[in-house]
Amino acid sequence: MLKDKNIVLGVTGGIAAYKSVEIASRLRKAGASVHVIMTAGAQNFITPLTFREITGNPVITTMWGEVHNYNVEHIALAQLADLVIVAPATANFLAKAAMGMADDMLTTTLLATKAPIYFAPAMNTNMYNNPLTQTNIQSLVDLGWHLIPPASGHLACGIDGVGRMPDPVEILDFVLENIAHKADLQGKKILVTAAGTYEPIDPVRYIGNRSSGKMGYAIAAAAQKRGAEVILVSGPSALMPPQGVDFIGVESAAQMREAVLKHFPKTDIVIKAAAVADYRVRNVAEQKIKKNDDKLTLVLEKNPDILKELGEKKNSDQILVGFAAETQNLLEYAQAKLEKKNLDMIVANDVSRKDAGFNTDTNVVKLLYKNGTIEEMPIMTKQKLANELLSKIIRLKNQ
Ligand code: C5P
């Protein structure tokens, strides 16, 4: 897919700049022609020579050089680009880009290009979470720039948190996943549920679960990019709703049910990735419960099973996909749910694994189909899995 493509790789001044060498190398091995633009900051971390050797192309470091090795004017690189990747993208760079500044070769090229732009923010957690940075990221996303979300982990500044640049392989996976799929869901209406529900105990407290929403959000984003009209019904989540989806935020299972049932009749495909609470508190206290007694008994009553209701209502053209998160007897339980809820497919998820299930960026699943087929999927990012699932659902729909 990258063969003979001209890719501009923007490198800004973050410690993660060393990882960009591997990005450049992988792009070149994939057959792309890589043109690196480095900011002044980036050159403090790594030398242009490294990129020149890796890419076999001159590296642009300034707008003001007397002799341009590069045989084009600065705008020409913007025109030549089939794709731009900025990795790492520092807070300073994001601020400048969001303001439309053009004070160096990278920002200038980005203002002038019509190619899709991918950016991988990498910085200290507090800098990343700062509302100024978040506002800048949002402005760029609103313009159609593709955000490669930072990973969480140990950062160079010594703290653990969000802001780490994903590994080069993950960055390339992200980009490839995005460009690989055509608008094969054009004209389809897809309803996705995501994250866990909060079941209130009193005005202050709730019963919740560990679902982050990552899988459902990845599905919603992928479906939207492939041309579908997407409604995302989500329980509370720290994630930003993907660009271009119709977002409905809910808290409890009852609210989720109401939203889902309202939109169900007009949807072609429903994917229920939400971790819906099976039980809710029977008598929700109107005031905050005080800690008077040594014991507190909460009586729970069963929540309606939304997916089962959909299974009873669905017509033969509608595709219904559920998730089964289990810690044991995965296939057996998943199979039972597939049948009981009248699903076309169930995604069975062993949540006892470290690399799968709640709050991870990767997932390992087995797919069970109505006709009895079982497919084992290798470990992959949730984004890649989202696209794989959608491709399989399209195949089901066309059968
Ligand atoms: O039965 P279980 O909760 O394990 O089934 C999981 C699947 O059913 C998920 O797709 C989940 O979104 C859905 N579900 C639902 N309503 C519930 C419980 C689960 O739609 N009350």
Side-chain angles (χ1 to χ4, degrees):
M1 258 183 304
L2 297 174
K3 196 158 169 26
D4 302 326
K5 294 273 185 279
N6 282 298
I7 300 185
V8 169
L9 176 62
V11 184
T12 72
I15 181 70
Y18 75 92
K19 292 193 202 170
S20 305
V21 177
E22 192 185 333
I23 299 177
S25 162
R26 285 180 179 274
L27 288 170
R28 189 178 184 194
K29 279 189 196 132
S33 182
V34 186
H35 309 273
V36 175
I37 305 178
M38 299 178 80
T39 63
Q43 293 166 59
N44 291 311
F45 290 95
I46 190 149
T47 67
L49 186 64
T50 312
F51 283 112
R52 199 181 76 198
E53 291 303 310
I54 291 285
T55 64
N57 280 326
V59 173
I60 317 278
T61 53
T62 172
M63 287 207 284
W64 314 115
E66 273 281 323
V67 184
H68 249 240
N69 276 347
Y70 207 68
N71 201 8
V72 287
E73 297 298 320
H74 61 276
I75 299 302
L77 195 53
Q79 281 167 348
L80 184 76
D82 294 303
L83 187 83
V84 181
I85 303 172
V86 183
T90 58
N92 178 55
F93 163 78
L94 296 172
K96 289 202 298 181
M99 289 293 288
M101 287 175 69
D103 66 345
D104 61 13
M105 196 56 163
L106 183 57
T107 45
T108 304
T109 304
L110 291 178
L111 267 190
T113 194
K114 290 225 163 88
I117 302 170
Y118 290 78
F119 66 112
M123 65 199 73
N124 161 274
T125 303
N126 293 341
M127 288 172 82
Y128 183 71
N129 286 332
N130 189 303
L132 285 167
T133 305
Q134 286 301 317
T135 304
N136 293 332
I137 290 175
Q138 192 57 48
S139 305
L140 296 171
V141 168
D142 289 345
L143 283 174
W145 288 36
H146 303 275
L147 168 68
I148 305 173
S152 293
H154 191 70
L155 302 178
C157 53
I159 63 165
D160 283 294
V162 69
R164 196 174 66 79
M165 188 167 101
D167 290 334
V169 184
E170 291 169 74
I171 290 190
L172 291 190
D173 258 8
F174 187 100
V175 174
L176 286 171
E177 274 308 309
N178 260 280
I179 55 179
H181 299 281
K182 308 213 165 44
D184 51 4
L185 284 168
Q186 196 89 47
K188 296 278 177 286
K189 221 170 176 177
I190 302 192
L191 178 75
V192 182
T193 69
T197 59
Y198 282 8
E199 305 301 322
I201 297 171
D202 66 18
V204 178
R205 305 171 180 102
Y206 60 84
I207 299 175
N209 63 62
R210 295 183 198 280
S211 172
S212 62
K214 282 181 184 168
M215 192 66 240
Y217 278 55
I219 294 171
Q224 192 274 337
K225 288 203 180 96
R226 288 167 74 161
E229 204 180 310
V230 181
I231 301 173
L232 173 61
V233 180
S234 173
S237 164
L239 302 174
M240 253 194 279
Q243 193 58 28
V245 311
D246 190 356
F247 182 79
I248 304 174
V250 297
E251 288 214 336
S252 64
Q255 290 167 354
M256 184 171 278
R257 175 176 175 271
E258 199 187 314
V260 168
L261 290 182
K262 182 172 163 208
H263 293 282
F264 180 60
K266 284 200 220 110
T267 50
D268 301 294
I269 298 162
V270 178
I271 305 172
K272 287 222 76 226
V276 187
D278 292 327
Y279 293 89
R280 65 171 175 270
V281 176
R282 173 170 286 165
N283 296 310
V284 178
E286 277 181 21
Q287 303 300 332
K288 185 179 168 194
I289 299 170
K290 304 305 291 176
K291 52 168 181 288
N292 296 329
D293 304 326
D294 284 345
K295 273 190 189 159
L296 172 70
T297 305
L298 293 174
V299 177
L300 305 182
E301 61 188 7
K302 215 166 186 180
N303 265 332
D305 190 321
I306 309 168
L307 194 48
K308 188 157 169 279
E309 255 179 88
L310 300 185
E312 285 155 10
K313 287 191 162 72
K314 82 169 182 129
N315 65 41
S316 56
D317 287 335
Q318 287 175 308
I319 298 273
L320 212 51
V321 178
F323 273 70
E326 300 293 350
T327 53
Q328 57 175 349
N329 304 335
L330 183 63
L331 284 178
E332 194 186 315
Y333 287 161
Q335 184 65 41
K337 282 177 202 175
L338 179 80
E339 288 163 25
K340 194 175 109 197
K341 304 190 191 206
N342 189 24
L343 308 178
D344 298 280
M345 184 208 265
I346 193 154
V347 185
N349 214 341
D350 179 353
V351 288
S352 64
R353 289 179 62 133
K354 277 222 153 49
D355 49 7
F358 298 133
N359 233 329
T360 56
D361 291 316
T362 52
N363 219 346
V364 189
V365 301
K366 294 186 174 69
L367 307 179
L368 287 75
Y369 295 86
K370 205 183 194 156
N371 67 5
T373 320
I374 298 177
E375 244 181 305
E376 280 199 36
M377 307 290 284
I379 182 166
M380 61 182 85
T381 61
K382 285 183 174 170
Q383 200 217 0
K384 192 171 169 74
L385 179 59
N387 273 314
E388 291 281 335
L389 290 178
L390 290 172
S391 297
K392 289 176 193 301
I393 291 167
I394 290 169
R395 236 167 281 151
L396 273 183
K397 193 123 179 71
N398 294 338
Q399 263 169 19

